[in-house]
Amino acid sequence: MDLSRAKTVLIFTFLFLNIFLLYHILEEEAGTSDFFSQEEHVTGLEEALEEADLVLDITLPRGGMRCAYLVVEPWRIEEEMLITELWNALEDEERPFPEVAKNIDSAQGETDSEITIYQFGNYELAVSEEGSLSFKRLSFPSSGEEYMETENIEEDYMELAGEFIEQISFLQGFSHDFYQQREGQVIIYYAQEFEGFPLYTGYLQLFMSNGHIEAFHLYRLQPREFAQQTREIIPPSTALLRFLEEYSGGFAGAEILEFSLGYYSQKYDADRWEIPPAWRIRLSNDELYYINAFTGSLER
């Protein structure tokens, strides 16, 4: 083989190699390596679902997205304003504003942080150090009404919830997430939103029965901006496999009702922090799981 022919062979060899590598890089960036497009991965996923005794009847979203961390700050709470708005929304305008009793309780909650409890009239508002709120009615008038299921129960209670939220400024800025109905009670869940993404760390949960708002839990953040640097998130099928590896089982034959992308982190007592994108998995047994969309780790 002469020298010119050898050079030609080497040039075409390196050209083919570069095209091959570029193809795989672009394929990875576009997310075309999704597990559901490859038979061997489909089989592995089906086996993992069967082993976990979970049912998947929904279509997973497409992968190939790039995201950035979301920079957030804590929502600043003004307890006096919260109490005034709640009283005005729940009571007749002619009823005078009551005295407010304030107590500090360090034994409540999931952490050792102090909780400040305000009692005013027939209501109680608990505020934790990290900024979460819990409100409840202390008693209800005895009306003799029984809880009735109707075909329009979700619509009826959504209307009641909407009317309540409209009267209270700090409950606004959330979008409807899902609802549950159990033991004579309806629970409507809302998630905070930012730039079209649900911010699952921020939530509003309304508890209702017999046409009354019984209680609510609230935690909200102050989103600032997305970090400048973006990176590719793991495909949905990869996130599902990571979840199935960690899932210990809670209800035989539970169905995966939702698989969606948003932002989630634990609550922090900090001035500012970054929240990663996360794949959320919601099961029919009321369990929620979050998979870090950058690392694939299960956020407990």
Side-chain angles (χ1 to χ4, degrees), residues 15 19 35 38 48-49 62 68 88 101 114 128 139 143 163 179 181 199-200 202 207 230 241 246 250 262 280 295:
L15 179 61
I19 293 173
F35 277 35
Q38 303 181 36
L49 284 165
R62 292 187 61 83
N88 292 337
E114 288 186 343
S128 68
S139 64
S143 62
E163 292 172 355
Y179 96 109
Q181 179 183 345
L199 176 53
Y200 295 127
F207 298 79
T230 65
L241 277 173
E246 298 284 341
R280 186 178 78 169
T295 67

PDB file of all heavy atoms in Angstrom, residues 15 19 35 38 48-49 62 68 88 101 114 128 139 143 163 179 181 199-200 202 207 230 241 246 250 262 280 295:
ATOM      1  N   LEU A  15     -12.690  10.260  10.021  1.00  0.00           N
ATOM      2  CA  LEU A  15     -13.936  10.936   9.703  1.00  0.00           C
ATOM      3  C   LEU A  15     -15.128  10.110  10.164  1.00  0.00           C
ATOM      4  O   LEU A  15     -16.080  10.631  10.764  1.00  0.00           O
ATOM      5  CB  LEU A  15     -14.022  11.197   8.193  1.00  0.00           C
ATOM      6  CG  LEU A  15     -15.301  11.886   7.701  1.00  0.00           C
ATOM      7  CD1 LEU A  15     -15.436  13.269   8.340  1.00  0.00           C
ATOM      8  CD2 LEU A  15     -15.294  11.993   6.171  1.00  0.00           C
ATOM      9  N   ILE A  19     -17.894  11.161  13.092  1.00  0.00           N
ATOM     10  CA  ILE A  19     -19.338  11.150  12.829  1.00  0.00           C
ATOM     11  C   ILE A  19     -20.051  10.249  13.825  1.00  0.00           C
ATOM     12  O   ILE A  19     -21.118  10.582  14.351  1.00  0.00           O
ATOM     13  CB  ILE A  19     -19.618  10.688  11.377  1.00  0.00           C
ATOM     14  CG1 ILE A  19     -19.100  11.736  10.379  1.00  0.00           C
ATOM     15  CG2 ILE A  19     -21.108  10.433  11.163  1.00  0.00           C
ATOM     16  CD1 ILE A  19     -19.172  11.294   8.934  1.00  0.00           C
ATOM     17  N   PHE A  35     -35.570   5.087  27.662  1.00  0.00           N
ATOM     18  CA  PHE A  35     -35.661   3.654  27.875  1.00  0.00           C
ATOM     19  C   PHE A  35     -36.785   3.016  27.072  1.00  0.00           C
ATOM     20  O   PHE A  35     -36.692   1.883  26.663  1.00  0.00           O
ATOM     21  CB  PHE A  35     -35.889   3.370  29.369  1.00  0.00           C
ATOM     22  CG  PHE A  35     -34.607   3.380  30.164  1.00  0.00           C
ATOM     23  CD1 PHE A  35     -33.581   4.247  29.836  1.00  0.00           C
ATOM     24  CD2 PHE A  35     -34.454   2.528  31.242  1.00  0.00           C
ATOM     25  CE1 PHE A  35     -32.414   4.266  30.574  1.00  0.00           C
ATOM     26  CE2 PHE A  35     -33.282   2.548  31.983  1.00  0.00           C
ATOM     27  CZ  PHE A  35     -32.276   3.413  31.644  1.00  0.00           C
ATOM     28  N   GLN A  38     -36.092   1.397  23.631  1.00  0.00           N
ATOM     29  CA  GLN A  38     -35.168   0.275  23.556  1.00  0.00           C
ATOM     30  C   GLN A  38     -35.791  -0.912  24.286  1.00  0.00           C
ATOM     31  O   GLN A  38     -36.127  -0.850  25.456  1.00  0.00           O
ATOM     32  CB  GLN A  38     -33.831   0.646  24.191  1.00  0.00           C
ATOM     33  CG  GLN A  38     -33.193   1.882  23.534  1.00  0.00           C
ATOM     34  CD  GLN A  38     -31.866   2.210  24.159  1.00  0.00           C
ATOM     35  OE1 GLN A  38     -31.118   1.307  24.535  1.00  0.00           O
ATOM     36  NE2 GLN A  38     -31.564   3.487  24.284  1.00  0.00           N
ATOM     37  N   ALA A  48     -39.039  -4.609  36.933  1.00  0.00           N
ATOM     38  CA  ALA A  48     -38.917  -3.835  38.167  1.00  0.00           C
ATOM     39  C   ALA A  48     -40.292  -3.435  38.695  1.00  0.00           C
ATOM     40  O   ALA A  48     -40.533  -3.466  39.913  1.00  0.00           O
ATOM     41  CB  ALA A  48     -38.068  -2.593  37.917  1.00  0.00           C
ATOM     42  N   LEU A  49     -41.209  -3.059  37.806  1.00  0.00           N
ATOM     43  CA  LEU A  49     -42.574  -2.727  38.227  1.00  0.00           C
ATOM     44  C   LEU A  49     -43.273  -3.931  38.829  1.00  0.00           C
ATOM     45  O   LEU A  49     -43.969  -3.831  39.843  1.00  0.00           O
ATOM     46  CB  LEU A  49     -43.374  -2.199  37.037  1.00  0.00           C
ATOM     47  CG  LEU A  49     -43.076  -0.770  36.583  1.00  0.00           C
ATOM     48  CD1 LEU A  49     -43.644  -0.513  35.196  1.00  0.00           C
ATOM     49  CD2 LEU A  49     -43.631   0.246  37.575  1.00  0.00           C
ATOM     50  N   ARG A  62     -41.512  12.951  27.824  1.00  0.00           N
ATOM     51  CA  ARG A  62     -40.275  12.810  27.068  1.00  0.00           C
ATOM     52  C   ARG A  62     -39.109  13.402  27.847  1.00  0.00           C
ATOM     53  O   ARG A  62     -39.266  14.320  28.640  1.00  0.00           O
ATOM     54  CB  ARG A  62     -40.394  13.504  25.710  1.00  0.00           C
ATOM     55  CG  ARG A  62     -41.373  12.817  24.759  1.00  0.00           C
ATOM     56  CD  ARG A  62     -41.314  13.454  23.392  1.00  0.00           C
ATOM     57  NE  ARG A  62     -40.005  13.330  22.797  1.00  0.00           N
ATOM     58  CZ  ARG A  62     -39.576  12.244  22.149  1.00  0.00           C
ATOM     59  NH1 ARG A  62     -40.360  11.184  22.027  1.00  0.00           N
ATOM     60  NH2 ARG A  62     -38.366  12.208  21.624  1.00  0.00           N
ATOM     61  N   ALA A  68     -32.063  24.242  35.172  1.00  0.00           N
ATOM     62  CA  ALA A  68     -31.118  24.874  36.091  1.00  0.00           C
ATOM     63  C   ALA A  68     -31.707  24.833  37.492  1.00  0.00           C
ATOM     64  O   ALA A  68     -32.902  24.590  37.676  1.00  0.00           O
ATOM     65  CB  ALA A  68     -30.850  26.324  35.673  1.00  0.00           C
ATOM     66  N   ASN A  88     -61.266  38.186  59.152  1.00  0.00           N
ATOM     67  CA  ASN A  88     -62.185  38.888  58.261  1.00  0.00           C
ATOM     68  C   ASN A  88     -62.829  37.950  57.235  1.00  0.00           C
ATOM     69  O   ASN A  88     -63.966  38.172  56.807  1.00  0.00           O
ATOM     70  CB  ASN A  88     -61.448  40.021  57.528  1.00  0.00           C
ATOM     71  CG  ASN A  88     -61.039  41.143  58.462  1.00  0.00           C
ATOM     72  OD1 ASN A  88     -61.628  41.316  59.534  1.00  0.00           O
ATOM     73  ND2 ASN A  88     -60.027  41.896  58.072  1.00  0.00           N
ATOM     74  N   ALA A 101     -54.218  35.165  71.943  1.00  0.00           N
ATOM     75  CA  ALA A 101     -53.346  34.525  72.930  1.00  0.00           C
ATOM     76  C   ALA A 101     -52.163  33.898  72.199  1.00  0.00           C
ATOM     77  O   ALA A 101     -52.332  33.205  71.194  1.00  0.00           O
ATOM     78  CB  ALA A 101     -54.116  33.459  73.699  1.00  0.00           C
ATOM     79  N   GLU A 114     -38.986  25.621  67.409  1.00  0.00           N
ATOM     80  CA  GLU A 114     -40.116  26.156  68.166  1.00  0.00           C
ATOM     81  C   GLU A 114     -41.291  26.484  67.257  1.00  0.00           C
ATOM     82  O   GLU A 114     -41.113  26.855  66.095  1.00  0.00           O
ATOM     83  CB  GLU A 114     -39.687  27.416  68.913  1.00  0.00           C
ATOM     84  CG  GLU A 114     -38.768  27.154  70.081  1.00  0.00           C
ATOM     85  CD  GLU A 114     -38.496  28.413  70.874  1.00  0.00           C
ATOM     86  OE1 GLU A 114     -38.741  29.508  70.344  1.00  0.00           O
ATOM     87  OE2 GLU A 114     -38.035  28.300  72.012  1.00  0.00           O
ATOM     88  N   SER A 128     -44.267  27.765  62.428  1.00  0.00           N
ATOM     89  CA  SER A 128     -42.986  27.153  62.786  1.00  0.00           C
ATOM     90  C   SER A 128     -41.836  28.076  62.423  1.00  0.00           C
ATOM     91  O   SER A 128     -42.000  29.036  61.655  1.00  0.00           O
ATOM     92  CB  SER A 128     -42.818  25.816  62.052  1.00  0.00           C
ATOM     93  OG  SER A 128     -42.672  26.038  60.665  1.00  0.00           O
ATOM     94  N   SER A 139     -63.686  24.307  66.899  1.00  0.00           N
ATOM     95  CA  SER A 139     -64.957  23.599  67.066  1.00  0.00           C
ATOM     96  C   SER A 139     -65.920  24.044  65.982  1.00  0.00           C
ATOM     97  O   SER A 139     -65.742  25.084  65.355  1.00  0.00           O
ATOM     98  CB  SER A 139     -65.560  23.873  68.451  1.00  0.00           C
ATOM     99  OG  SER A 139     -65.875  25.248  68.591  1.00  0.00           O
ATOM    100  N   SER A 143     -74.781  20.827  63.579  1.00  0.00           N
ATOM    101  CA  SER A 143     -75.858  21.080  62.625  1.00  0.00           C
ATOM    102  C   SER A 143     -76.659  19.834  62.310  1.00  0.00           C
ATOM    103  O   SER A 143     -77.709  19.898  61.692  1.00  0.00           O
ATOM    104  CB  SER A 143     -75.273  21.638  61.330  1.00  0.00           C
ATOM    105  OG  SER A 143     -74.402  20.686  60.745  1.00  0.00           O
ATOM    106  N   GLU A 163     -63.487  30.353  46.659  1.00  0.00           N
ATOM    107  CA  GLU A 163     -64.071  31.513  47.328  1.00  0.00           C
ATOM    108  C   GLU A 163     -63.282  31.880  48.582  1.00  0.00           C
ATOM    109  O   GLU A 163     -63.091  33.059  48.897  1.00  0.00           O
ATOM    110  CB  GLU A 163     -65.536  31.222  47.691  1.00  0.00           C
ATOM    111  CG  GLU A 163     -66.447  31.103  46.472  1.00  0.00           C
ATOM    112  CD  GLU A 163     -67.838  30.635  46.845  1.00  0.00           C
ATOM    113  OE1 GLU A 163     -68.058  30.319  48.040  1.00  0.00           O
ATOM    114  OE2 GLU A 163     -68.709  30.584  45.958  1.00  0.00           O
ATOM    115  N   TYR A 179     -56.729  16.219  44.481  1.00  0.00           N
ATOM    116  CA  TYR A 179     -57.566  16.198  45.681  1.00  0.00           C
ATOM    117  C   TYR A 179     -57.800  14.775  46.129  1.00  0.00           C
ATOM    118  O   TYR A 179     -57.658  13.820  45.358  1.00  0.00           O
ATOM    119  CB  TYR A 179     -58.876  16.949  45.428  1.00  0.00           C
ATOM    120  CG  TYR A 179     -60.059  16.087  45.038  1.00  0.00           C
ATOM    121  CD1 TYR A 179     -61.105  15.880  45.923  1.00  0.00           C
ATOM    122  CD2 TYR A 179     -60.119  15.474  43.789  1.00  0.00           C
ATOM    123  CE1 TYR A 179     -62.184  15.095  45.576  1.00  0.00           C
ATOM    124  CE2 TYR A 179     -61.194  14.687  43.428  1.00  0.00           C
ATOM    125  CZ  TYR A 179     -62.231  14.493  44.331  1.00  0.00           C
ATOM    126  OH  TYR A 179     -63.287  13.697  43.991  1.00  0.00           O
ATOM    127  N   GLN A 181     -60.443  12.298  48.772  1.00  0.00           N
ATOM    128  CA  GLN A 181     -61.709  12.205  49.490  1.00  0.00           C
ATOM    129  C   GLN A 181     -61.648  10.970  50.377  1.00  0.00           C
ATOM    130  O   GLN A 181     -61.460   9.855  49.895  1.00  0.00           O
ATOM    131  CB  GLN A 181     -62.858  12.088  48.482  1.00  0.00           C
ATOM    132  CG  GLN A 181     -64.228  11.957  49.121  1.00  0.00           C
ATOM    133  CD  GLN A 181     -65.318  11.783  48.069  1.00  0.00           C
ATOM    134  OE1 GLN A 181     -65.095  12.038  46.888  1.00  0.00           O
ATOM    135  NE2 GLN A 181     -66.478  11.340  48.509  1.00  0.00           N
ATOM    136  N   LEU A 199     -43.633  24.293  41.878  1.00  0.00           N
ATOM    137  CA  LEU A 199     -42.637  24.315  42.949  1.00  0.00           C
ATOM    138  C   LEU A 199     -43.222  23.496  44.096  1.00  0.00           C
ATOM    139  O   LEU A 199     -43.940  24.015  44.950  1.00  0.00           O
ATOM    140  CB  LEU A 199     -42.344  25.761  43.373  1.00  0.00           C
ATOM    141  CG  LEU A 199     -41.400  26.002  44.543  1.00  0.00           C
ATOM    142  CD1 LEU A 199     -40.080  25.280  44.341  1.00  0.00           C
ATOM    143  CD2 LEU A 199     -41.171  27.488  44.739  1.00  0.00           C
ATOM    144  N   TYR A 200     -42.939  22.187  44.085  1.00  0.00           N
ATOM    145  CA  TYR A 200     -43.593  21.274  45.014  1.00  0.00           C
ATOM    146  C   TYR A 200     -43.218  21.539  46.465  1.00  0.00           C
ATOM    147  O   TYR A 200     -43.945  21.129  47.373  1.00  0.00           O
ATOM    148  CB  TYR A 200     -43.245  19.827  44.654  1.00  0.00           C
ATOM    149  CG  TYR A 200     -43.790  19.393  43.314  1.00  0.00           C
ATOM    150  CD1 TYR A 200     -42.961  18.842  42.343  1.00  0.00           C
ATOM    151  CD2 TYR A 200     -45.144  19.536  43.009  1.00  0.00           C
ATOM    152  CE1 TYR A 200     -43.458  18.433  41.120  1.00  0.00           C
ATOM    153  CE2 TYR A 200     -45.648  19.134  41.781  1.00  0.00           C
ATOM    154  CZ  TYR A 200     -44.797  18.587  40.844  1.00  0.00           C
ATOM    155  OH  TYR A 200     -45.291  18.198  39.633  1.00  0.00           O
ATOM    156  N   GLY A 202     -43.294  24.380  47.883  1.00  0.00           N
ATOM    157  CA  GLY A 202     -44.349  25.275  48.361  1.00  0.00           C
ATOM    158  C   GLY A 202     -45.713  24.657  48.133  1.00  0.00           C
ATOM    159  O   GLY A 202     -46.008  24.207  47.024  1.00  0.00           O
ATOM    160  N   PHE A 207     -58.432  21.447  54.085  1.00  0.00           N
ATOM    161  CA  PHE A 207     -59.221  20.347  54.633  1.00  0.00           C
ATOM    162  C   PHE A 207     -60.656  20.840  54.827  1.00  0.00           C
ATOM    163  O   PHE A 207     -60.887  21.816  55.541  1.00  0.00           O
ATOM    164  CB  PHE A 207     -58.646  19.883  55.980  1.00  0.00           C
ATOM    165  CG  PHE A 207     -57.243  19.355  55.883  1.00  0.00           C
ATOM    166  CD1 PHE A 207     -56.153  20.223  55.808  1.00  0.00           C
ATOM    167  CD2 PHE A 207     -57.001  17.985  55.855  1.00  0.00           C
ATOM    168  CE1 PHE A 207     -54.861  19.742  55.711  1.00  0.00           C
ATOM    169  CE2 PHE A 207     -55.703  17.493  55.765  1.00  0.00           C
ATOM    170  CZ  PHE A 207     -54.633  18.373  55.692  1.00  0.00           C
ATOM    171  N   THR A 230     -27.247  25.636  32.978  1.00  0.00           N
ATOM    172  CA  THR A 230     -28.215  24.555  32.806  1.00  0.00           C
ATOM    173  C   THR A 230     -27.481  23.245  32.576  1.00  0.00           C
ATOM    174  O   THR A 230     -26.323  23.226  32.131  1.00  0.00           O
ATOM    175  CB  THR A 230     -29.164  24.814  31.620  1.00  0.00           C
ATOM    176  OG1 THR A 230     -28.408  24.816  30.399  1.00  0.00           O
ATOM    177  CG2 THR A 230     -29.895  26.131  31.800  1.00  0.00           C
ATOM    178  N   LEU A 241     -36.761   3.930  37.189  1.00  0.00           N
ATOM    179  CA  LEU A 241     -35.966   2.782  37.623  1.00  0.00           C
ATOM    180  C   LEU A 241     -35.271   3.052  38.953  1.00  0.00           C
ATOM    181  O   LEU A 241     -35.220   2.190  39.832  1.00  0.00           O
ATOM    182  CB  LEU A 241     -34.929   2.421  36.559  1.00  0.00           C
ATOM    183  CG  LEU A 241     -35.425   1.540  35.411  1.00  0.00           C
ATOM    184  CD1 LEU A 241     -34.351   1.395  34.351  1.00  0.00           C
ATOM    185  CD2 LEU A 241     -35.849   0.168  35.923  1.00  0.00           C
ATOM    186  N   GLU A 246     -35.463   1.852  45.030  1.00  0.00           N
ATOM    187  CA  GLU A 246     -35.561   2.298  46.420  1.00  0.00           C
ATOM    188  C   GLU A 246     -36.905   1.975  47.059  1.00  0.00           C
ATOM    189  O   GLU A 246     -37.023   1.957  48.287  1.00  0.00           O
ATOM    190  CB  GLU A 246     -35.336   3.813  46.500  1.00  0.00           C
ATOM    191  CG  GLU A 246     -33.967   4.280  46.030  1.00  0.00           C
ATOM    192  CD  GLU A 246     -32.896   4.003  47.049  1.00  0.00           C
ATOM    193  OE1 GLU A 246     -33.234   3.797  48.229  1.00  0.00           O
ATOM    194  OE2 GLU A 246     -31.711   4.001  46.667  1.00  0.00           O
ATOM    195  N   GLY A 250     -45.798  -0.161  49.836  1.00  0.00           N
ATOM    196  CA  GLY A 250     -46.697   0.320  50.867  1.00  0.00           C
ATOM    197  C   GLY A 250     -48.106  -0.175  50.672  1.00  0.00           C
ATOM    198  O   GLY A 250     -48.893  -0.219  51.613  1.00  0.00           O
ATOM    199  N   GLY A 262     -40.983  19.018  38.271  1.00  0.00           N
ATOM    200  CA  GLY A 262     -41.124  20.273  38.984  1.00  0.00           C
ATOM    201  C   GLY A 262     -39.858  20.545  39.775  1.00  0.00           C
ATOM    202  O   GLY A 262     -38.779  20.065  39.417  1.00  0.00           O
ATOM    203  N   ARG A 280     -41.577  13.955  40.085  1.00  0.00           N
ATOM    204  CA  ARG A 280     -42.480  13.545  41.161  1.00  0.00           C
ATOM    205  C   ARG A 280     -43.298  12.340  40.738  1.00  0.00           C
ATOM    206  O   ARG A 280     -43.834  12.298  39.625  1.00  0.00           O
ATOM    207  CB  ARG A 280     -43.428  14.679  41.569  1.00  0.00           C
ATOM    208  CG  ARG A 280     -44.273  14.302  42.794  1.00  0.00           C
ATOM    209  CD  ARG A 280     -45.178  15.409  43.240  1.00  0.00           C
ATOM    210  NE  ARG A 280     -46.371  15.535  42.410  1.00  0.00           N
ATOM    211  CZ  ARG A 280     -47.422  16.294  42.729  1.00  0.00           C
ATOM    212  NH1 ARG A 280     -47.386  17.011  43.847  1.00  0.00           N
ATOM    213  NH2 ARG A 280     -48.464  16.386  41.949  1.00  0.00           N
ATOM    214  N   THR A 295     -29.292  14.137  39.895  1.00  0.00           N
ATOM    215  CA  THR A 295     -28.497  13.037  40.448  1.00  0.00           C
ATOM    216  C   THR A 295     -29.196  11.692  40.417  1.00  0.00           C
ATOM    217  O   THR A 295     -28.537  10.645  40.514  1.00  0.00           O
ATOM    218  CB  THR A 295     -28.116  13.357  41.902  1.00  0.00           C
ATOM    219  OG1 THR A 295     -29.310  13.359  42.713  1.00  0.00           O
ATOM    220  CG2 THR A 295     -27.431  14.709  42.009  1.00  0.00           C
TER     221      THR A 295
END
